[in-house]
Amino acid sequence: VTGCGGATPEIDRAADRVAIYTDGPAPDWRIEKSPGSQGSVDVVTGAGGTELSLRYRLGEQSESPFVAIVAPTGQGMAGFDRVSFRARAPGPMRLSVQLRAPDETRDRRWHKSVYLDDTEQTITVFLSEMTPVGNGAGSLELAAVRDLLFVVDTVNSRPGSSGQVWLDEITFAR
C-alpha cells in the first residue's frame, strides 16, 4: 500500500496488514520530547521512494531525556500481533518501539528495544514480546492502544547525544 501517511491507515487485505507509513507524506507523525531535548521528523527521499527521518538531540539536564516520533494507531490494534518496519541509523544504537494506551490519569506504555546500525534491515516486533514501561501499565490491551512511538532515550543513549534514524514500511500485521 503506498501513500498511507494520512490519518486513516489503509488495509492491505491480501497481506493482512495495515500500513502506518509507506512512502508519501506523513501529516499525522509528530515529535514528542522532554524539556531540553530537540527532535524533528521529515519525509526524505530514499532509494525506493520516501522514508521518515528522525533527527534528535537528547537534553542533558532534564529528568529522563527523550525524543520520540509518534503516529496515531486509529482505533487500536485489536487483531494484530506485530509491528514491522525497515530502519537504519548512521551507527550502532538501540531504539525503543512503544505502544501507548492513554487513560484518565496516565499513559500506559509497552516497549521492545531493537538494535540499529548503518545496514538497513526489516525488523518485526511481536506484541507478545513487549513489556510494560514503568509500574501500572498492566497487560497489553490492544483495543486501547492509540499511539505507536519510536523512542530514543537515556535507557540506551547518553544524555546530550544526537543522531538520526530512518524508518520506512511501518505496518501492523497478523
Side-chain angles (χ1 to χ4, degrees):
V1 177
T2 59
C4 283
T8 306
E10 295 180 26
I11 298 177
D12 178 350
R13 297 193 191 288
D16 223 9
R17 61 184 65 237
V18 170
I20 301 302
Y21 180 81
T22 303
D23 211 14
D28 294 328
W29 288 83
R30 67 186 185 279
I31 291 289
E32 293 182 7
K33 60 186 183 60
S34 61
S37 295
Q38 299 173 356
S40 66
V41 59
D42 297 297
V43 175
V44 298
T45 301
T50 61
E51 58 192 2
L52 300 177
S53 167
L54 165 63
R55 289 185 181 273
Y56 66 89
R57 183 185 175 289
L58 296 179
E60 296 196 36
Q61 302 300 324
S62 70
E63 185 175 313
S64 302
F66 75 94
V67 175
I69 180 176
V70 183
T73 61
Q75 294 302 309
M77 296 186 56
F80 296 103
D81 68 357
R82 70 196 82 169
V83 176
S84 294
F85 56 96
R86 282 191 357 223
R88 70 182 189 288
M93 68 171 293
R94 295 198 74 81
L95 182 70
S96 179
V97 179
Q98 298 185 11
L99 298 176
R100 179 170 54 197
D103 68 20
E104 304 82 42
T105 60
R106 68 191 189 293
D107 287 332
R108 296 172 300 140
R109 291 180 292 133
W110 297 266
H111 75 109
K112 171 84 172 160
S113 174
V114 298
Y115 174 81
L116 302 178
D117 60 24
D118 62 351
T119 303
E120 185 173 81
Q121 57 185 310
T122 298
I123 298 169
T124 299
V125 173
F126 287 92
L127 305 183
S128 61
E129 297 174 345
M130 298 182 97
T131 58
V133 175
N135 295 326
S139 61
L140 181 54
E141 301 168 34
L142 295 176
V145 169
R146 293 296 177 259
D147 295 303
L148 170 66
L149 301 86
F150 294 94
V151 182
V152 179
D153 59 19
T154 54
V155 171
N156 295 303
S157 301
R158 293 184 317 275
S161 63
S162 62
Q164 188 171 9
V165 174
W166 293 271
L167 299 161
D168 199 5
E169 297 182 13
I170 304 166
T171 62
F172 298 144
R174 46 183 152 260

